[in-house]
Amino acid sequence: MSHIHELPKAYVPADAEAKWYPFWEENKLFHGRVNPDKPAYSIVIPPPNVTGILTIGHVLNNTLQDILIRYHRMRGYEVCWFPGTDHAGIATESKVQKSLKAAGQPGRDELGREKFIAKVWDWKEKYGGTIISQLRKLGTACDWERERFTMDEGLSRAVRKVFVELYKKGYIYRGQRMINWCPVSKTALSDEEVIYKEVDGKFYHIKYPLADGSGFLEVATTRPETMFGDTAVAVNPDDPRYRHLIGKMVKLPLTDREIPIIGDEHADPEKGSGCVKITPAHDPNDFLVGQRHNLEVINIMNADASLNDRAGKEFSGLDRYAARDKVMAELEKLGLVIGVEPIRHAVGFSERGDVPIETLISYQWFCNMKELAKPAIDAVESGKIKFYPERWSKTYFHWMENIQDWCISRQIWWGHRIPAWYNDAAGEVYVGMEAPSAPGKWRQEEDVLDTWFSSWLWPFSIQGWPDDTAELKYFYPTCDLVTGPDIIFFWVARMIMAGCEFMGEIPFRNVYFTSIIRDDTGRKLSKSLGNSPDPLDVIAEYGADALRFSIIYIAPVGMDIRYSNDKCELGRNFANKLWNCCRFRQMQGEVSDSFRKLNADPSGLTADEKWMIASIDAAVGSIETAFREFRFHSAAHELYELVWSKVCDWFVESEKVRLRGGEAEKLQAVRVLDYVIFKVLRLLHPFMPFVTEELAHSMGYVEDGESIMNERYPEPGEDGVFADAEIVKYVESKFALVSAGRALRSNCDIPDNRKVRYYIKAVDAAAADFLNTEVESLKMLMNASDVEIGLADYDAAGSGAAPSAIGDIGTVYLPLAGVIDLDAERAKLKKQRGEFEGWIRGTEAKLRNERFVAKAPAQVVEDAKRQLEELKQKLERVNELLSALD
């Protein structure tokens, strides 16, 4: 038999966390094994950037995954949570460059490729494990023995194989196309790495003189500095104002060039002047116009978005914005500025660099996604993969059905170098897993692959693909994916495409999209706003379990979360409530033989005991449904209500009657308490692993050296039926009557510790019979000297004034004779009534005043309305009490 280890008076989360996480790891409780005797359950972690530190967003995401892992383990699955980190090419390279600069060491360009990459590896080994160690503080049950990194040799081999296969199929190609360019990172970006922001800008209206001197065309642009790359002015061929000018030439201002006027439907007669400057190298629409008219493509930008020599000596080397100012100053001198118009427009920003991107023509590597998207669309359409909330499927379909070629090359050094080699002398390109063995002078492609090109293979590369491993056969496809909706295109959609293409099978069955976390004022949490708390500080103050439970409790499916640290008080108070409940049980003696399965004759159970067992069983069913529907928030609320209200506030209090009875009564009460508490601990474990492990051991429910993780998660109806619906209804009605009786005491300002007498008029004989069996329980719960049950009306004439409250099972009366001075109470209440009536009249007059309502701040008006409602409710209560006293 297990023995109780005495619990200290207060729960200290840090002690439990320091004790149990090493225990779980040392005993390999997180390690998933290939076990054909069990069903498999697996999750892959969204790999955090190797540069990352833990955020509240990580807390939410990883707590949800941990809940799923622990829940399925306790349900009998062989579970594996595959962890790892992402090399985060642009972010990591930038971080290391800043680190080198701060240390006064040579930078990227001075070091050269090999030495710089060696520095990045050094940095990764030193700092790259930070977020992994922080995840441990949260209690995550990751299989750390299987931790991977996206630039591990195995994963790098998978990346090369995928590149080669897609190249051979003709999906991957190198070509000159319009791309997004980040001037800070100095690399190409995919469309998904561009964030559009509404910013203030200007429309510059400029004269382009006709070459024959007969006039000018008015051109409007937001970017006059790009005019050095103009190779035409377009007008609509059906526009009668300009149709006769098609084929003529205009003088390009500030240059010695002339450019043609062309007819193209890209020019909209309804917009502006109807004339559009065409800059094929720096605008995607202009590039298409240029292709249709065989126009020259002139790139005027350097990698840092300064102007190059094609802009002319006077402007070469200037930053794009300085160049804009200088261009407009020179045009003004020449009398070529018609006007400047302020506008608000959307501008594309680099997600990483947070600066406006440049669109320019460049040779890059691309992947045609059209064919890859088809089976991935079908996977979600057919229901093989389900999204929670389901509305994200519309976003997914819209993107997938309009998918563009993916720009996969990046002009940085940290990442998977593209496995392509050039023989310049022979004009040959070789793509393969290894360098070419053919004779000749071969040089490898300088560019690396987009970081997401390794991440999209994560669900199978992390398990050993392209080798046919035992893990892949057992754990693939994985079961659930928990991630943010912000990477539905970057990662989720691409993983589905990669799984269908290379594994012939979807990578996961369910995708749960987490909520956006905001502060109490509705702003997204961000370091720049200073409203993003450090989770480690929160854990130090409240405990990991408190943070975990609180953030799930406030996170309804598909709705934004309003988070602040003080909301973790809910979780901390909840852990303390559970702790104190277990301490109370310890005071009753050694652990019984009923904590796993109730060893009691159902006919000998009290109504309260039957109700408690039925309530837990109902909660188990609700929680199981919530898990199945990914309503974690609902499960947390169900658990909170079960533990705080039903177990602690009602059942434990009512059971004190049995605990103070004879030996047989006490033994049965202890058995039921053990059964209830251990069931609660198992239900709560996925949400609050540390406190439940500590309590399960201290209570004697789990042997030393074992873990609650290995216990069975409760299932609905597993122990049979102990109560019918009528008993449950009677007990709940009894508790409602107790609440009403307590409220009567409070309304009359009678201290909680003072014994009072109650009379209950039952609704019928059956209710009276039930209540008569519950008299001792009622006296305990209402701190009553006596509770009389009857079917007759209360005798006010003989027994004195008594306020009352009606319930489903009867009406409860609180006789006041001898308890309070009735005359003094009447006088006090009448005085209060007069005060409330005066305040109500004053507030109503204020709200009838149109000047007040019109001029006062909206919040002041709302406060006045709320105050009026509160005053009316208080007046109603005073009148009810006066009526009862009379």
Side-chain angles (χ1 to χ4, degrees), residues 597-673:
K597 187 171 178 63
L598 185 58
N599 181 16
D601 178 3
S603 64
L605 296 173
T606 66
D608 287 354
E609 289 167 346
K610 291 177 179 177
W611 166 83
M612 185 70 260
I613 294 166
S615 295
I616 282 199
D617 197 55
V620 169
S622 296
I623 291 164
E624 184 180 84
T625 301
F627 267 112
R628 191 166 56 247
E629 297 173 355
F630 293 86
R631 291 185 293 104
F632 303 97
H633 152 272
S634 299
H637 278 253
E638 188 77 41
L639 284 163
Y640 187 87
E641 171 66 17
L642 172 69
V643 175
W644 192 286
S645 177
K646 294 182 178 178
V647 174
C648 297
D649 286 354
W650 289 118
F651 180 64
V652 171
E653 290 302 310
S654 69
E655 201 71 344
K656 288 176 181 177
V657 174
R658 304 276 284 174
L659 291 167
R660 294 170 187 173
E663 188 175 332
E665 285 182 311
K666 181 175 181 179
L667 176 60
Q668 178 169 304
V670 164
R671 281 174 168 168
V672 177
L673 277 171

Side-chain angles (χ1 to χ4, degrees), residues 663-699:
E663 188 175 332
E665 285 182 311
K666 181 175 181 179
L667 176 60
Q668 178 169 304
V670 164
R671 281 174 168 168
V672 177
L673 277 171
D674 280 338
Y675 171 80
V676 167
I677 292 171
F678 189 45
K679 206 156 200 176
V680 161
L681 293 179
R682 285 180 286 148
L683 284 170
L684 262 176
H685 177 72
F687 297 81
M688 306 178 84
F690 291 111
V691 70
T692 51
E693 187 77 86
E694 179 68 20
L695 289 172
H697 282 267
S698 297
M699 297 299 292

